[in-house]
Amino acid sequence: MRFSDLLDAVRSQPQALSIPAEWGQGRASFGGLIAALQYEAMRAKVPAERPVRSLAITFVGPVEPDVPVSFEVDVLREGKAVSQVLGRAMQKGQVVTLMQGSFGASRESEVAVTAQPAPAMKHWDECQELPYIKGVTPEFMRHLAMRWSVGGRPFTGNPSREMGGWVQLRGEVREEALSEAYILALVDAWPPALLPHLRKPAAGSTLTWTIEFVQPLLALNTLDWCKYLAEIEHAADGYGHVAAKLWSADGRLIAMSRQTVTIFA
C-alpha cells in the first residue's frame, strides 16, 4: 500500500484506519507514517490559508500493524492568524501518539534572514544506498530510499557526530506535490544518528520529535531527492539529542528537526 493511498484513507476514515505490516518498524508501525497520518487529520480542521509552522510529537507507545487506529483532533484555539491544534492517535483505547501543531497565516514583516548554506555532499548517484532486506531491515524501508554521504551506517562502529545523505520515496510512487506529510516521512526515515556508533544491532527509537517547516513550501514533488543531515548534540544514559535539517537538491532549506531518542545499548 503506497504512502499516498494511506494519506487518502486517513482523509476519508480517520476514526478506523489499520496500518499494513509492510509499513512496520520492529513491533511498531513506522513513526514517520503515523506522524503524517495524524498531521493529515489535523490539517483537515484548519483553514487552508494557515500552513503548519511547527509540530511537537510524542510517541507514547507503539502503533501495532493491522489493528485499527483512530486519529482524533481538537482545535484548542483559533486566533487572528494562528490555530493551535491537538491530535491524538488512539489504539485499543490507549493514546499511542500525541501531536501539537501550530498553523499560522503569513503576515508582513521587516525581519528577513536567509538560511545558512546547505552542506556539500556527493551526488546521490555516487552514494551507497541502504538496501531493503526482508527480515533484516525495517519493513517500511521498501518504500523509502536512503543514500549515505556523511557518517556511517547503523551498527558500523563509526563515531561521527554527523550522519546524512539523500532520501527519496521508492517503489510505486504517485507523483504529486511534496507536502508536509511526505516531509515527515522523509525526515523520520533515517535511523537515530546514535546507531552508527554501535558495533552490533540494538534497539533505538524516537521518544519526542519537534519539526518546523519553512513556508511557503518549495515546489518539489514526490520523485525528488532531498538532502538530510543530522548532528548528535549530546548522548548519555541511554538517551540522545539530535538536530537535523532537510534541504532540496539545490540546497534550499525545507525543514528543521529535533529528536530525543532512546537507545538500548
Side-chain angles (χ1 to χ4, degrees):
M1 194 172 190
R2 297 178 301 179
F3 192 85
S4 55
D5 297 328
L6 288 165
L7 294 183
D8 289 343
V10 79
R11 292 171 189 141
S12 61
Q13 52 176 14
Q15 298 303 314
L17 177 62
S18 294
I19 312 299
E22 68 187 73
W23 283 96
Q25 185 175 11
R27 63 192 179 98
S29 299
F30 170 42
L33 172 62
I34 301 304
L37 296 173
Q38 184 64 68
Y39 164 75
E40 283 295 320
M42 294 163 69
R43 174 72 272 177
K45 303 293 186 179
V46 181
E49 64 271 15
R50 297 187 178 190
V52 63
R53 301 289 170 169
S54 68
L55 297 170
I57 306 154
T58 300
F59 294 108
V60 179
V63 177
E64 294 182 44
D66 297 320
V67 176
V69 187
S70 175
F71 294 93
E72 301 177 356
V73 178
D74 293 321
V75 178
L76 303 178
R77 184 178 186 274
E78 283 199 341
K80 292 182 179 180
V82 175
S83 297
Q84 302 286 0
V85 184
L86 179 67
R88 292 179 301 275
M90 305 287 297
Q91 190 176 63
K92 296 182 176 179
Q94 301 291 321
V95 177
V96 287
T97 302
L98 281 173
M99 181 182 292
Q100 192 272 323
S102 297
F103 297 73
S106 299
R107 61 168 67 91
E108 292 185 7
S109 175
E110 297 180 10
V111 180
V113 181
T114 58
Q116 295 282 358
M121 292 184 185
K122 295 186 296 184
H123 191 273
W124 54 81
D125 285 338
E126 302 174 28
C127 298
Q128 186 175 16
E129 186 167 302
L130 186 64
Y132 163 68
I133 304 173
K134 187 171 180 61
V136 177
T137 57
E139 282 299 300
F140 78 86
M141 285 184 55
R142 70 178 73 196
H143 301 288
L144 289 146
M146 287 156 282
R147 296 190 178 181
W148 254 254
S149 179
V150 178
R153 294 190 294 174
F155 317 123
T156 57
N158 188 306
S160 175
R161 299 179 73 100
E162 296 184 327
M163 181 192 72
W166 300 94
V167 61
Q168 180 193 50
L169 292 161
R170 67 175 160 192
E172 186 185 350
V173 179
R174 187 169 74 193
E175 184 174 359
E176 57 185 357
L178 192 72
S179 67
E180 292 91 349
Y182 283 103
I183 293 168
L184 287 165
L186 295 180
V187 171
D188 199 47
W190 292 83
L194 281 65
L195 295 189
H197 286 234
L198 303 178
R199 296 186 180 276
K200 59 182 180 180
S205 61
T206 300
L207 182 65
T208 63
W209 178 21
T210 58
I211 183 167
E212 301 170 356
F213 301 90
V214 176
Q215 299 288 359
L217 292 184
L218 301 179
L220 303 175
N221 68 52
T222 50
L223 303 182
D224 289 325
W225 284 99
C226 292
K227 181 185 292 188
Y228 172 90
L229 184 67
E231 179 184 4
I232 302 170
E233 297 186 323
H234 183 267
D237 303 321
Y239 298 87
H241 306 276
V242 181
K245 291 184 173 70
L246 188 74
W247 297 267
S248 62
D250 59 4
R252 291 174 291 165
L253 185 62
I254 298 171
M256 297 155 284
S257 169
R258 178 177 294 277
Q259 294 184 327
T260 299
V261 301
T262 58
I263 188 165
F264 299 92

